[in-house]
Amino acid sequence: MDILEKIVIDKRKEVDSVKSIIPVSQLENSVLFSRETISLANALKNSNSGIIAEHKRRSPSKSIINNSLNVQDVATGYEKAGVCGMSVLTDGKYFGGALNDLLLARASAKIPLLRKEFIIDEYQILEAKAHGADVILLIAAILTKQEIKQFSEFAKSLQLDVLLEVHNEEELHKSIMPSLDMLGVNNRNLKTFEVSLETSKTLSALIPNDFVKVSESGISSVDAIKTLQPYGYKGFLIGENFMKTNNPGESATHFINNLV
């Protein structure tokens, strides 16, 4: 069983238990549920840098990245740096995140926020909206074509942007549909954890231009971005590179200044 399958089994149990405690009506009545969302896709289209900076404490491939920073400081720093959006990992068991991180980021910054999560239930999309997210992530590797359609259309009905992540050609072919805003190519092989930008290069030609193209994982240099821009990529998700420093906002600032 690969790591993704393990995560999904745990996630189903987690979502079932939370659903039994917090009813949908409570999520829909939350203060943030009715706020107007900000489009990450539009921000990327109009940006020279395309940086989506991530808040991530740890990961299965790298164990602890940074446990000592608070989310408010990271969000404020990223906003000051001029990133297009912020990705907030909300999985607890494998990434050390929490939904509360999303609330704190929302209270600290006015940039588009992506809930980075393993979404396997519509309930999690309601949670995202209720906690201040503007965008959800759907992962093609863990969803059927029907689920991608159902979840993306549901997210759009809540005025949320949808970023769909693929790892290979097969996942891409089952995923292309009008209810997506952005198509993300994850350069990490989930079985070996090896990272290669060739994945983004190869798949770029197969992504229709109606979607904003985003490259994820293994982007740790300005050169990597300059290599991918000619392939039509407008968004670049960067996590560990900023988070492994003492001041992610400052690192993001230097990075963006060198890029543009």
Side-chain angles (χ1 to χ4, degrees):
M1 194 190 295
D2 69 27
I3 186 69
L4 208 47
E5 290 170 301
K6 277 199 196 108
I7 291 173
V8 169
I9 288 168
D10 286 333
K11 193 56 62 181
R12 288 194 193 284
K13 291 179 193 154
E14 181 190 309
V15 172
D16 285 344
S17 64
V18 175
K19 274 166 93 172
S20 67
I21 303 165
I22 300 172
V24 164
S25 59
Q26 190 175 324
L27 295 173
E28 290 174 338
N29 290 326
S30 72
V31 175
L32 290 170
F33 202 84
S34 54
R35 71 174 269 276
E36 207 170 305
T37 52
I38 319 159
S39 170
L40 176 61
N42 288 345
L44 293 174
K45 280 179 203 164
N46 299 311
S47 165
N48 294 327
S49 75
I51 303 296
I52 306 162
E54 192 153 80
H55 179 267
K56 173 158 71 171
R57 292 186 181 88
R58 56 185 162 90
S59 75
S61 60
K62 290 275 163 76
S63 64
I64 289 174
I65 298 161
N66 198 328
N67 265 340
S68 61
L69 301 169
N70 74 59
V71 184
Q72 299 98 307
D73 291 346
V74 176
T76 310
Y78 282 160
E79 184 171 43
K80 258 195 205 131
V83 303
C84 290
M86 177 175 173
S87 163
V88 181
L89 267 140
T90 59
D91 173 77
K93 182 169 180 181
Y94 295 90
F95 290 87
L99 264 171
N100 207 36
D101 292 337
L102 202 49
L103 280 182
L104 293 169
R106 177 76 294 147
S108 314
K110 293 182 171 61
I111 50 179
L113 295 183
L114 163 72
R115 181 186 187 188
K116 184 99 174 275
E117 183 53 272
F118 301 87
I119 289 180
I120 40 90
D121 193 302
E122 278 188 3
Y123 183 84
Q124 293 162 286
I125 302 172
L126 291 166
E127 282 182 325
K129 175 83 171 167
H131 288 76
D134 301 283
V135 196
I136 59 152
L137 173 76
L138 296 178
I139 302 171
I142 62 175
L143 301 170
T144 64
K145 183 173 187 168
Q146 184 49 43
E147 285 171 326
I148 294 169
K149 184 175 190 295
Q150 178 195 337
F151 296 160
S152 57
E153 287 177 356
F154 184 60
K156 295 311 294 172
S157 77
L158 297 172
Q159 278 78 54
L160 293 168
D161 269 8
V162 180
L163 167 63
L164 184 113
E165 173 180 301
V166 299
H167 296 85
N168 55 44
E169 195 173 329
E170 184 192 352
E171 289 175 11
L172 181 60
H173 286 312
K174 78 170 180 186
S175 305
I176 292 175
M177 54 187 77
S179 43
L180 308 174
D181 302 284
M182 295 160 280
L183 268 161
V185 176
N186 193 328
N187 300 305
R188 178 171 281 121
N189 181 316
L190 291 171
K191 295 193 166 38
T192 62
F193 285 131
E194 282 170 13
V195 171
S196 167
L197 296 184
E198 291 307 313
T199 313
S200 281
K201 292 180 188 175
T202 309
L203 293 182
S204 68
L206 305 171
I207 301 173
N209 289 331
D210 332 4
F211 304 104
V212 176
K213 296 179 195 178
V214 177
S215 186
E216 310 169 21
S217 291
I219 298 163
S220 54
S221 68
V222 166
D223 286 349
I225 290 180
K226 295 209 159 143
T227 303
L228 292 172
Q229 281 172 333
Y231 289 85
Y233 285 94
K234 294 290 286 175
F236 306 92
L237 184 73
I238 301 182
E240 286 155 26
N241 201 44
F242 301 148
M243 282 301 293
K244 66 187 180 195
T245 66
N246 292 328
N247 190 331
E250 209 170 81
S251 329
T253 304
H254 290 314
F255 193 95
I256 291 170
N257 288 344
N258 288 332
L259 178 61
V260 296

